[in-house]
Amino acid sequence: MAAPMTWKRIVFSVYTPAFSWVFTRISDRFFRTHDRRRGSAVLLLAPLLAEADPAPLTSSRPPGFTGVEGLYSRFHWMVNHVPAFRVPGGHIRILHSPDEFYQTMKARIRTAKNRVVMASLYLGTGPLEQDLVDCMEEALERSQGKDAPELKVDFLLDYTRGSRGKHNSRTVLLPLLQRFPEQMRVSLYHTPDLRGLLRLLVPERFNETIGVQHIKAYLFDNSLIISGANLSDSYFTNRQDRYVLLEDCEEVADFFAELVGAVGDVSLQLRPDNSVDTMEGMVHPYKGNRADFSASAQRRIMEVVNAARVRQNMLESECSENADCNETVPNDTWIFPLLQMKPLGIYLDEQVTKQLLTEADGDSAVYLTSGYFNLTKTYMHLVLGAATDYRILMASPEVNGFFGARGVAGAIPEAYVHIARQFYNKVCQLGQQSRVHLHEYHRADWTFHAKGLWYYVGKRDRPCLTLIGSPNFGYRSVHRDLEAQIAIVTENEDLQVQLQQEQEMLYQRSTEVSSSTFNQPDRYVKLWVKLVTPFIKNFF
């Protein structure tokens, strides 16, 4: 039996997150003062500030709108924030399992002719990950033939997570980079918030709590997988996530290729000798001036977003004027890419998500899921103050990705139980039990990482909108990390059926939370975990 935790061990176990919080706030105060002295008009350290109370939002829905016939008119307000891509709903397929995700990626890599783009938090180091890299090597070898176009491979990973340990994402990719230096690019994003004294003091295992590259987009020529899954063996075997495949959607694929390229441009570049440096003319993320880095990164990324908005608006205008435009294939579905990069001053996903939750009324239903249930104050207020029915799916303690971890990380599932209980108590205090329901996902020997939502309009039995991608609706997703997801709005009945089946499949493995749930022995939360949760919950 493990020895009881002494006060020294308790202090040591919470030392790193608490220390990170203290130095984060000190750094924030310093840089705020520094920016004011330089006359900066924009505070670029917003991700390190406390959450503000949510401002009320007003509905933008057209007056008198009912039914699902005019879905695009209902959600047309999104074009005020992000590009809108019209695609055939028949070109979109929902993947359901980790193995299907993995096998689809391998198959697409093998047949790619022009480009493979992989954006993830990290690449694992096991045999399954190596098999994926071997597929890329075969594709690169084949592309060097005389009759085939030259294939380009572009990797975007997080610097801190991708550099952890001696054998890591970098060392797995180095042989490809050394063999195909003209065709291979590996970019490692480094958050500008991990710098100076904070970077020196926070240990390797915890430095990613300050902020990471969290986008998960996998592109093969003109087809694209958007997911919340990383490139690691558990995500290929027994870690449940969500995955959507967009087949032959060139404009959407171009957008994400350009987005990953833009983030890659402002990231550190991996060299064949395992060193890293910045591209010529770019500001260093932690050695250079923080405000300058964030401003230049914002400009580079928003160039992609704004150019796509202008291009798509022109195409839509041309189509509306041409009665025969796209009549051969029904473009009955709209894709809205949503980006959240608060350290860089980009918060498009937050704007759209808040408006979407505000738009929901008593005739709608929202199924929302998060692998790590830790809603921001704004999202929590919108859920608790709405008339919409909410079914919120979260991980039970045993399927939490941190379950069984060593040290302070092993207490994180308890912290999530504590957060969920506080939210459930709030629901009960407000008398919202009939409208807001919590569910826990259960599956033996699996972990749960699915995130996003399904939006049902007017009591219809199939969803017409889904959000799918990397955000978790929590503080980190909104304020610390680089995130991307897509809103899919569809009138395609087959795609709506796929979305319904996906939602039902996940919820069928869940049980609804009640007051008795938190009285079970496996929901016991130690006192010290309750005490430190308010200080560290914004770091996980």
Side-chain angles (χ1 to χ4, degrees), residues 222-275:
N222 291 330
S223 296
L224 172 72
I225 295 176
I226 296 292
S227 178
N230 291 303
L231 297 174
S232 180
D233 55 359
S234 63
Y235 292 92
F236 303 152
T237 53
N238 63 345
R239 189 158 171 80
Q240 183 64 59
D241 215 302
R242 297 181 65 208
Y243 336 82
V244 61
L245 172 64
L246 288 78
E247 294 262 26
D248 194 24
C249 296
E250 183 175 1
E251 293 169 356
V252 183
D254 285 347
F255 174 84
F256 275 92
E258 292 168 11
L259 171 66
V260 172
V263 178
D265 286 348
V266 302
S267 301
L268 297 171
Q269 306 300 306
L270 183 65
R271 301 307 180 193
D273 62 355
N274 201 18
S275 64

Side-chain angles (χ1 to χ4, degrees), residues 214 236 238 258 263 288 292 311 380 492 507 527:
H214 203 241
F236 303 152
N238 63 345
E258 292 168 11
V263 178
D292 290 344
R311 188 166 58 245
M380 192 188 331
N492 183 290
Y507 279 73
L527 177 60

Side-chain angles (χ1 to χ4, degrees), residues 351-409:
Q351 290 176 317
V352 171
T353 301
K354 286 195 297 186
Q355 190 71 48
L356 186 63
L357 298 181
T358 301
E359 293 277 318
D361 57 21
D363 290 332
S364 303
V366 174
Y367 286 72
L368 184 151
T369 180
S370 175
Y372 303 111
F373 179 70
N374 185 15
L375 294 180
T376 66
K377 287 182 181 179
T378 298
Y379 293 158
M380 192 188 331
H381 287 197
L382 289 173
V383 169
L384 294 175
T388 308
D389 286 341
Y390 276 91
R391 296 270 177 180
I392 300 175
L393 181 61
M394 58 187 181
S396 59
E398 68 274 11
V399 300
N400 187 292
F402 291 96
F403 186 75
R406 290 188 238 173
V408 68

Side-chain angles (χ1 to χ4, degrees), residues 88-260:
H91 286 202
I92 299 177
R93 181 161 61 94
I94 304 299
L95 310 181
H96 293 286
S97 71
D99 182 65
E100 187 179 11
F101 167 60
Y102 179 60
Q103 298 300 336
T104 300
M105 280 198 298
K106 289 205 300 180
R108 297 310 168 101
I109 290 170
R110 289 191 176 104
T111 58
K113 296 179 179 179
N114 299 309
R115 60 184 176 183
V116 171
V117 180
M118 311 289 276
S120 180
L121 174 64
Y122 68 106
L123 171 69
T125 59
L128 293 180
E129 297 93 319
Q130 187 59 54
D131 195 18
L132 199 69
V133 173
D134 291 343
C135 288
M136 291 181 198
E137 185 175 21
E138 294 170 10
L140 286 165
E141 286 176 342
R142 187 173 58 253
S143 75
Q144 293 185 325
K146 293 181 180 179
D147 300 328
E150 189 177 81
L151 176 68
K152 300 288 187 182
V153 176
D154 192 356
F155 257 92
L156 172 65
L157 305 172
D158 182 69
Y159 176 89
T160 54
R161 187 61 179 268
S163 303
R164 184 197 289 181
K166 291 184 178 179
H167 188 37
N168 51 44
S169 305
R170 293 162 61 168
T171 59
V172 170
L173 291 173
L174 275 177
L176 281 188
L177 191 60
Q178 292 164 350
R179 187 176 175 190
F180 305 98
E182 301 301 319
Q183 294 174 257
M184 184 85 176
R185 182 195 193 195
V186 180
S187 304
L188 302 166
Y189 174 81
H190 192 295
T191 177
D193 294 323
L194 183 64
R195 56 173 52 235
L197 193 59
L198 187 65
R199 192 173 191 273
L200 292 173
L201 290 176
V202 179
E204 183 180 74
R205 189 182 175 197
F206 293 98
N207 55 13
E208 65 193 71
T209 63
I210 306 303
V212 295
Q213 193 301 114
H214 203 241
I215 298 169
K216 287 68 180 283
Y218 308 109
L219 192 153
F220 320 93
D221 289 338
N222 291 330
S223 296
L224 172 72
I225 295 176
I226 296 292
S227 178
N230 291 303
L231 297 174
S232 180
D233 55 359
S234 63
Y235 292 92
F236 303 152
T237 53
N238 63 345
R239 189 158 171 80
Q240 183 64 59
D241 215 302
R242 297 181 65 208
Y243 336 82
V244 61
L245 172 64
L246 288 78
E247 294 262 26
D248 194 24
C249 296
E250 183 175 1
E251 293 169 356
V252 183
D254 285 347
F255 174 84
F256 275 92
E258 292 168 11
L259 171 66
V260 172

Side-chain angles (χ1 to χ4, degrees), residues 246-474:
L246 288 78
E247 294 262 26
D248 194 24
C249 296
E250 183 175 1
E251 293 169 356
V252 183
D254 285 347
F255 174 84
F256 275 92
E258 292 168 11
L259 171 66
V260 172
V263 178
D265 286 348
V266 302
S267 301
L268 297 171
Q269 306 300 306
L270 183 65
R271 301 307 180 193
D273 62 355
N274 201 18
S275 64
V276 295
D277 57 23
T278 58
M279 288 182 61
E280 186 177 353
M282 296 296 175
V283 181
H284 198 283
Y286 65 87
K287 294 180 181 178
N289 178 276
R290 191 215 182 279
D292 290 344
F293 171 80
S294 295
S296 63
Q298 182 194 60
R299 279 195 304 271
R300 179 68 186 90
I301 293 164
M302 288 306 296
E303 283 174 3
V304 174
V305 176
N306 293 330
R309 281 187 65 194
V310 171
R311 188 166 58 245
Q312 294 309 118
N313 288 341
M314 290 177 62
L315 287 173
E316 193 65 28
S317 297
E318 291 172 6
C319 255
S320 63
E321 295 171 3
N322 183 359
D324 298 326
C325 182
N326 292 328
E327 284 298 316
T328 55
V329 180
N331 287 346
D332 50 15
T333 300
W334 295 266
I335 306 295
F336 301 91
L338 310 178
L339 311 182
Q340 186 71 14
M341 304 174 178
K342 211 64 167 290
L344 310 181
I346 299 171
Y347 42 92
L348 302 172
D349 179 69
E350 181 185 10
Q351 290 176 317
V352 171
T353 301
K354 286 195 297 186
Q355 190 71 48
L356 186 63
L357 298 181
T358 301
E359 293 277 318
D361 57 21
D363 290 332
S364 303
V366 174
Y367 286 72
L368 184 151
T369 180
S370 175
Y372 303 111
F373 179 70
N374 185 15
L375 294 180
T376 66
K377 287 182 181 179
T378 298
Y379 293 158
M380 192 188 331
H381 287 197
L382 289 173
V383 169
L384 294 175
T388 308
D389 286 341
Y390 276 91
R391 296 270 177 180
I392 300 175
L393 181 61
M394 58 187 181
S396 59
E398 68 274 11
V399 300
N400 187 292
F402 291 96
F403 186 75
R406 290 188 238 173
V408 68
I412 289 179
E414 288 186 41
Y416 281 115
V417 170
H418 183 54
I419 292 168
R421 183 167 193 167
Q422 289 179 319
F423 179 80
Y424 181 79
N425 289 343
K426 194 73 173 177
V427 171
C428 294
Q429 290 168 12
L430 296 173
Q432 300 289 331
Q433 303 96 308
S434 63
R435 188 183 61 80
V436 181
H437 304 265
L438 287 178
H439 296 255
E440 285 187 341
Y441 185 88
H442 304 273
R443 194 170 184 180
D445 301 319
W446 279 59
T447 55
F448 183 71
H449 199 247
K451 61 210 58 171
L453 64 77
W454 301 260
Y455 192 108
Y456 291 74
V457 171
K459 302 296 184 182
R460 301 298 175 117
D461 58 0
R462 294 191 295 266
C464 63
L465 180 150
T466 192
L467 298 184
I468 181 169
S470 63
N472 273 296
F473 305 103

